[in-house]
Amino acid sequence: EDQVTQSPEALRLQEGESSSLNCSYTVSGLRGLFWYRQDPGKGPEFLFTLYSAGEEKEKERLKATLTKKESFLHITAPKPEDSATYLCAVQALGGGSNYKLTFGKGTLLTVNP
Amino acid sequence: KAGVTQTPRYLIKTRGQQVTLSCSPISGHRSVSWYQQTPGQGLQFLFEYFSETQRNKGNFPGRFSGRQFSNSRSEMNVSTLELGDSALYLCASSTGAGNTIYFGEGSWLTVV
C-alpha cells in the first residue's frame, strides 16, 4: 500500500529564515509526486509535480527536489504570506492507482514577521 | 480560465439524511476525482471517474457513491449520514494520469 509521511508536522519560522519540509514515500512505482499548498478553509493549490529522481522545480521562494525515497520542499527567505499547510501526495503507476493521489498529513508552516 | 467549481460550499444535514454534492471540472478535463478531508485522517481518496466510468474507488462504505455525466460534471452522494461524515469534500480534475490535478474549494458538510 502506498504511504506518505511528512515531517515536521508543524514548523514555525521567522521571516527570512530558510528551511526545508520533508516528504518520505513508499510506492510500488512512482508516476508522480505532487506538492500542494492549502490555506485554511480552502482547497489545495497546486505547486509542483516531480516525476523522476534528481528532478528539481522552482517557483518564487519554493524549490522542490525528489529522490527515490523522499522529496524536499525548500523555502528560501520565507514571508508571512507563505504561512499555510503544505501537502505532499504520490500517484502510483498501474491500474486504478494511476488515478488517485495518496496524501501525507501535511506540514503546517507559520512564518512570523 | 475557470477553476474547479463545487456546490454547495456549506451545508448542514441531520444524521440519517442523504446529501448530494456537485462538481464542475475545468473545461476540457475529463477525469474527476473526489476526496474527503478531516482533521484526523487528512485527505483520503473516495473515487475517480473518466468518461462516465468509475476507474478507482477508495476504502469507503457503500453509502458513498458518485457519478459523472457526459459533460464531465460529477456528483457524489452520501446516504444515511453519520456524524463521522462531517468533513470537507474536495473535487479535483485533470486531463489524465500523471498530469496536474487541480482542486476546487470544497464543500463543507456538517452532520448534526
Side-chain angles (χ1 to χ4, degrees):
Chain A
E1 186 176 325
D2 306 333
Q3 288 191 323
V4 178
T5 303
Q6 292 188 246
S7 61
E9 290 184 14
L11 181 62
R12 190 177 293 270
L13 300 173
Q14 288 299 122
E15 185 172 1
E17 179 187 1
S18 301
S19 187
S20 297
L21 312 182
N22 177 263
C23 170
S24 298
Y25 65 91
T26 304
V27 65
S28 53
L30 182 69
R31 177 172 290 280
L33 185 140
F34 296 73
W35 281 99
Y36 290 88
R37 167 197 170 122
Q38 187 174 28
D39 293 303
K42 297 197 171 185
E45 175 189 345
F46 172 75
L47 294 173
F48 306 106
T49 308
L50 302 168
Y51 295 101
S52 57
E55 190 174 0
E56 300 182 351
K57 289 191 176 176
E58 288 188 66
K59 178 182 178 180
E60 297 179 355
R61 295 177 293 281
L62 300 176
K63 178 180 176 180
T65 62
L66 180 66
T67 73
K68 289 187 177 179
K69 294 183 178 180
E70 57 190 351
S71 176
F72 290 94
L73 185 65
H74 307 278
I75 303 176
T76 301
K79 298 182 178 182
E81 52 262 42
D82 294 323
S83 298
T85 296
Y86 290 84
L87 296 165
C88 171
V90 296
Q91 189 177 56
L93 287 167
S97 296
N98 281 326
Y99 318 117
K100 74 169 192 176
L101 293 176
T102 299
F103 280 87
K105 294 290 180 67
T107 293
L108 175 60
L109 174 66
T110 303
V111 182
N112 295 316
Chain B
K1 167 170 164 178
V4 179
T5 304
Q6 293 188 243
T7 56
R9 284 281 284 134
Y10 304 93
L11 66 167
I12 300 174
K13 291 287 187 179
T14 303
R15 195 169 43 181
Q17 289 185 315
Q18 74 167 14
V19 66
T20 299
L21 308 178
S22 180
C23 172
S24 293
I26 293 171
S27 178
H29 287 195
R30 295 167 65 188
S31 171
V32 175
S33 51
W34 289 88
Y35 292 80
Q36 181 195 65
Q37 186 173 29
T38 59
Q41 298 298 319
L43 272 138
Q44 292 187 290
F45 172 77
L46 281 159
F47 26 65
E48 188 266 354
Y49 289 88
F50 186 91
S51 294
E52 303 178 68
T53 300
Q54 186 183 90
R55 298 193 295 190
N56 198 359
K57 188 178 192 314
N59 294 324
F60 281 83
R63 300 185 295 108
F64 292 80
S65 63
R67 60 177 176 168
Q68 186 181 33
F69 302 96
S70 58
N71 62 359
S72 293
R73 193 176 67 84
S74 178
E75 290 181 347
M76 68 162 283
N77 183 78
V78 187
S79 62
T80 320
L81 285 165
E82 301 177 358
L83 297 178
D85 296 333
S86 296
L88 176 65
Y89 289 88
L90 292 159
C91 174
S93 75
S94 76
T95 53
N99 295 327
T100 301
I101 299 174
Y102 297 94
F103 283 82
E105 296 287 21
S107 292
W108 284 95
L109 170 65
T110 301
V111 182
V112 297

